[in-house]
Amino acid sequence: MNISTRGRYGLRALADMTIHAVNGPVALRVIAERQNLSESYLEQVFSSLRKAGIVRSVRGAQGGYELNRPANEISVGEILRALEGPITPVYCVDDSSPGSECEMEKTCLTRPFWEELRNVVNRFLDETTLQDVIDKAPRESNKEPMFYI
Amino acid sequence: MNISTRGRYGLRALADMTIHAVNGPVALRVIAERQNLSESYLEQVFSSLRKAGIVRSVRGAQGGYELNRPANEISVGEILRALEGPITPVYCVDDSSPGSECEMEKTCLTRPFWEELRNVVNRFLDETTLQDVIDKAPRESNKEPMFYI
DNA sequence: AAGTAATCCTATATATTTGGTATGATTTTA
DNA sequence: TAAAATCATACCAAATATATAGGATTACTT
């Protein structure tokens, strides 16, 4: 039951970017340094976020990334799904990708339970926004450089 | 955000065992056959369940496993934790194993969020019992052999 | 125009985890 | 004594995660 580094780094980097955005885009180099993450790895992460419409990029010198929408209109579910794929405790209750249905769907003893767990998790993730994440973050983290989770 | 086969097979095997228990222990060979699982792999799974006090074993011919407590007194959280280790979306909010604390605990931007997610998941898992899982299972599954999730 | 700073893209490498199999020992019943 | 079961541990192959590397492209600055 684990979120990989893509999701962890991605969410943390987004929170960092949002907090430190003054005006104009923020370069990955800056985020990577502040959060002690690999810039190259963040590139891959932000590529996914851009393709999902969560951030937009500005290329060239003085470029970088910025949120594509206000932080309170971006759910954590959306972010994690962009980075991790469908969030589901077991693949067989992933209703997002047709063809992934378990063949014993109708008779499986545990399927109804897993569906419920999936719903509990996704409901929470979809109700929580990037802004909520930031609001819950400790104060000091807005001032000093962070290190890795 | 995935539960591995240990947790999936384990929960399904337990549900199967509970449903089909008449009196006396059920052999893994029978469960494995009915649920189309590897008996050898189930041995490892049930070894963990036994050490966690969820099932008890009867050795020798005509032996097998049976629940160590009524199904409505065994939570899914207990089962999954025995098979998967601590259920936590990110390792750094695993409060069960001391020493695993993230060093940036106090200042991490995302830690409070991950803690909340961990709590949402574990609350649900601890509130749901093996009996609940069975009660939600489709009727037919009590009669016919199942196949794998 | 040149240099630089940034994103973008894709291939590759390495380490870890997962999902088992295999082997044999031990225990108990028939 | 034979058979049926748990118990314990070692091992292995494949998949996945976690990056690193190298270059191409774009745009700003001087």
Side-chain angles (χ1 to χ4, degrees):
Chain A
M1 192 76 159
N2 278 284
I3 299 291
S4 75
T5 51
R6 282 178 61 85
R8 293 195 280 119
Y9 294 178
L11 184 61
R12 191 148 55 91
L14 276 179
D16 178 283
M17 187 186 88
T18 305
I19 287 175
H20 292 94
V22 187
N23 50 359
V26 181
L28 290 188
R29 189 178 47 74
V30 176
I31 299 175
E33 208 166 291
R34 204 154 41 203
Q35 294 287 333
N36 197 29
L37 297 169
S38 149
E39 179 181 353
S40 178
Y41 196 44
L42 271 192
E43 283 177 7
Q44 296 173 46
V45 168
F46 273 71
S47 172
S48 299
L49 292 173
R50 184 177 58 78
K51 283 166 187 163
I54 292 167
V55 298
R56 59 173 169 264
S57 65
V58 178
R59 300 189 64 170
Q62 314 309 316
Y65 289 93
E66 50 197 350
L67 290 185
N68 203 23
R69 276 169 285 145
N72 63 2
E73 291 176 20
I74 299 173
S75 76
V76 177
E78 191 182 353
I79 294 168
L80 292 183
R81 253 173 257 121
L83 298 176
E84 301 269 327
I87 305 296
T88 170
V90 298
Y91 76 91
C92 36
V93 298
D94 168 19
D95 51 3
S96 72
S97 45
S100 75
E101 303 90 5
C102 175
E103 26 179 284
M104 297 321 278
E105 179 181 336
K106 300 270 174 28
T107 51
C108 177
L109 286 174
T110 48
R111 184 184 173 89
F113 164 75
W114 294 122
E115 285 177 336
E116 258 199 85
L117 175 58
R118 176 200 62 194
N119 293 343
V120 165
V121 170
N122 280 280
R123 200 173 302 132
F124 176 74
L125 294 180
D126 289 337
E127 280 169 355
T128 306
T129 70
L130 178 56
Q131 188 61 53
D132 293 328
V133 172
I134 291 169
D135 290 345
K136 286 166 196 156
R139 287 295 177 87
E140 312 97 274
S141 53
N142 296 4
K143 301 169 190 161
E144 295 300 326
M146 290 301 86
F147 298 100
Y148 50 92
I149 259 198
Chain B
M1 191 77 161
N2 278 282
I3 299 291
S4 76
T5 51
R6 282 177 62 84
R8 293 195 281 116
Y9 294 178
L11 183 62
R12 192 148 55 91
L14 276 179
D16 178 283
M17 187 186 87
T18 306
I19 287 176
H20 292 93
V22 187
N23 50 358
V26 181
L28 290 188
R29 190 179 47 73
V30 176
I31 300 176
E33 207 166 293
R34 204 154 42 203
Q35 294 288 334
N36 197 31
L37 297 170
S38 151
E39 180 182 352
S40 177
Y41 196 43
L42 270 192
E43 282 178 6
Q44 296 173 47
V45 168
F46 273 71
S47 172
S48 299
L49 293 172
R50 184 178 58 78
K51 283 166 187 163
I54 292 167
V55 297
R56 59 173 170 265
S57 64
V58 178
R59 300 188 66 170
Q62 313 310 314
Y65 288 93
E66 51 197 348
L67 290 186
N68 203 22
R69 275 169 285 146
N72 64 2
E73 290 177 20
I74 299 173
S75 76
V76 178
E78 191 181 354
I79 294 168
L80 293 183
R81 252 173 255 121
L83 299 175
E84 302 268 328
I87 306 296
T88 170
V90 299
Y91 76 91
C92 35
V93 298
D94 168 19
D95 51 3
S96 71
S97 45
S100 76
E101 303 89 5
C102 175
E103 27 178 283
M104 298 320 280
E105 181 180 336
K106 298 271 173 29
T107 51
C108 176
L109 286 174
T110 48
R111 184 183 173 88
F113 164 75
W114 293 122
E115 285 177 336
E116 257 200 85
L117 175 58
R118 177 201 61 194
N119 292 344
V120 164
V121 170
N122 281 279
R123 200 174 302 133
F124 175 74
L125 294 180
D126 289 337
E127 280 169 355
T128 306
T129 70
L130 178 57
Q131 187 61 54
D132 293 329
V133 172
I134 291 169
D135 290 344
K136 286 166 195 157
R139 289 295 179 88
E140 311 97 274
S141 53
N142 297 6
K143 302 169 192 161
E144 295 299 325
M146 291 300 86
F147 298 99
Y148 51 92
I149 259 198

